[in-house]
Amino acid sequence: MSLIYAFLFSGVICLIAEIIINHTKLTPGHVTSLFSVIGSIMAFFGLYNNIINKCGMGAITLISNFGSSLYIAGLKGFRNNGIIGLFSNMLSKSSLVLTSTVIFSFIFVCIYKSKD
Amino acid sequence: MNKDTYKKIVKDYRKKDKYIRNYLSAFLSGGLIGFLAECLYLIIINLTNISSNNARSIITLAIICIASFLTAIGLFDNLIRKCRSGLIVPTTGFAHSVTSSAIDFKREGLINGIGSNVFHLAGSVILYSIIGSFLLVILKVIISA
């Protein structure tokens, strides 16, 4: 069952993004920023964890998960250590995405050349 | 009916057709990524004794690695042209934007080229999601206090 939910959730989010790109002047850059902020807003209302419980990887693969994990880690840091905790803990959960994109892209950029 | 109105009608139809094809490919490719990731997750959870958090991290790593690799060898641009938002909104889009801007500026050197341009496109995602989450945490604290 979670397979169907994963398919539907990520499909519908991509469909909404496609509709926004086709019918407004927003570019893919706008849309990805918008969706990551929407992810943290959904986490603010406590929705995103429920969606992850239901749709599993369908929700985690999306860019909204970046925003929501930033919010969750920041709030946890604030509860543990006040405003200093907020600053020091904010990136802890999304460190995986940032570090791995930088490392992998650097490795592949060193190996391959631009085509044109 | 004269020629111009005929042309206009044909153009409208073509546009509508293209939109519907874009929507379908975005929906199917985006859904497929979630579906495949969930499949992998279930396989890892059921066959090995890796914890669920680690399994999720491994799959995210794999997705990012594949997207960077395909971007570096030049296949990902064609895929994005076909699937559109289906590959932009998942984490693949983030990895693609980092790798493609790094590879585009490679010829300008390590510092002025790659170093100052890796987050050329992905910078906006990082900036606005950090600002947004920061403000939302402050808001949450003020509300709950």
Side-chain angles (χ1 to χ4, degrees), chain B residues 82-112:
Chain B
K82 282 197 186 104
C83 307
R84 301 174 64 86
S85 330
L87 288 177
I88 295 171
V89 176
T91 325
T92 49
F94 188 73
H96 166 73
S97 63
V98 172
T99 313
S100 66
S101 45
I103 217 163
D104 281 345
F105 289 97
K106 191 186 177 185
R107 69 172 78 96
E108 285 173 36
L110 283 174
I111 303 296
N112 286 330

Side-chain angles (χ1 to χ4, degrees), chain B residues 25-91:
Chain B
S25 56
F27 177 72
L28 288 179
S29 53
L32 202 67
I33 288 185
F35 181 79
L36 288 179
E38 183 69 20
C39 274
L40 260 178
Y41 172 74
L42 290 179
I43 290 170
I44 291 177
I45 282 291
N46 286 327
L47 294 187
T48 61
N49 48 7
I50 297 173
S51 72
S52 89
N53 267 342
N54 278 352
R56 284 170 175 168
S57 307
I58 290 170
I59 296 164
T60 314
L61 276 178
I63 289 172
I64 290 170
C65 183
I66 293 169
S68 305
F69 176 70
L70 289 178
T71 308
I73 62 173
L75 281 176
F76 211 74
D77 283 324
N78 286 332
L79 275 178
I80 279 198
R81 217 164 288 144
K82 282 197 186 104
C83 307
R84 301 174 64 86
S85 330
L87 288 177
I88 295 171
V89 176
T91 325

Side-chain angles (χ1 to χ4, degrees), chain A residues 35-45 64 67-68 71, chain B residues 129 132-133 136:
Chain A
F35 273 65
S36 57
V37 174
I38 288 176
S40 44
I41 293 173
M42 279 162 94
F44 176 76
F45 290 111
S64 325
S68 95
Y71 171 81
Chain B
S129 48
S133 337
L136 284 170

Side-chain angles (χ1 to χ4, degrees), chain A residues 91-112:
Chain A
L91 289 169
S92 60
K93 257 185 119 185
S94 35
S95 143
L96 179 92
V97 175
L98 282 177
T99 316
S100 59
T101 29
V102 169
I103 297 294
F104 285 129
S105 65
F106 193 74
I107 291 172
F108 291 127
V109 164
C110 286
I111 300 173
Y112 294 99

